[in-house]
Amino acid sequence: QVQLVESGGGLVQAGGSLRLSCVASGSFFSINAMGWYRQVPGKTRDLVARISSGGSTDYADSVKGRFTISRDNAKNTVYLQMNNLKPEDTAVYYCNADVSSWTGRRGYWGQGTQVTVSS
């Protein structure tokens, strides 16, 4: 079993910054892509950013130039540095990891962390 635990969410004023972290633990061979998604009530869970095991990155257009995803493979951790935050960034942010283990390859989700940006 694999667990993902996010941290770093909170309340910040528009223009401020937050850094989210997500640590993977459990029994597995390797972590492939990792990513951050966000969801507001009544809407779908959308991709914010993702990073491959080799470090290639992909961002939603709405966050390009403001958010940076990175990972520390030795610590099984993915980060999301969020700068120049806007009220429309308010959402629950979820970590996702594509993991290979004894039971095969599948995606896992964290429990989510709330990010609230006030105007």
Side-chain angles (χ1 to χ4, degrees):
Q1 190 70 352
V2 176
Q3 296 82 40
L4 301 179
V5 178
E6 301 113 331
S7 61
L11 173 64
V12 64
Q13 289 188 331
S17 298
L18 284 174
R19 188 191 195 208
L20 305 182
S21 300
C22 172
V23 181
S25 63
S27 179
F28 51 87
F29 300 142
S30 63
I31 302 176
N32 307 301
M34 302 184 81
W36 290 95
Y37 292 71
R38 64 188 181 187
Q39 187 171 24
V40 297
K43 295 194 175 181
T44 59
R45 187 174 297 185
D46 296 329
L47 175 70
V48 176
R50 60 188 166 205
I51 184 168
S52 71
S53 57
S56 297
T57 58
D58 187 28
Y59 295 92
D61 287 343
S62 60
V63 306
K64 284 180 180 177
R66 300 187 298 122
F67 291 10
T68 302
I69 189 170
S70 62
R71 63 190 287 173
D72 184 334
N73 292 330
K75 296 181 178 180
N76 297 322
T77 301
V78 63
Y79 305 97
L80 186 68
Q81 178 66 44
M82 305 185 292
N83 297 328
N84 190 22
L85 282 159
K86 302 177 180 181
E88 52 264 41
D89 294 318
T90 295
V92 178
Y93 284 69
Y94 295 91
C95 174
N96 177 270
D98 176 17
V99 179
S100 296
S101 68
W102 289 107
T103 59
R105 181 172 176 172
R106 56 158 286 189
Y108 291 86
W109 292 96
Q111 81 286 355
T113 185
Q114 176 71 46
V115 171
T116 302
V117 184
S118 63
S119 59

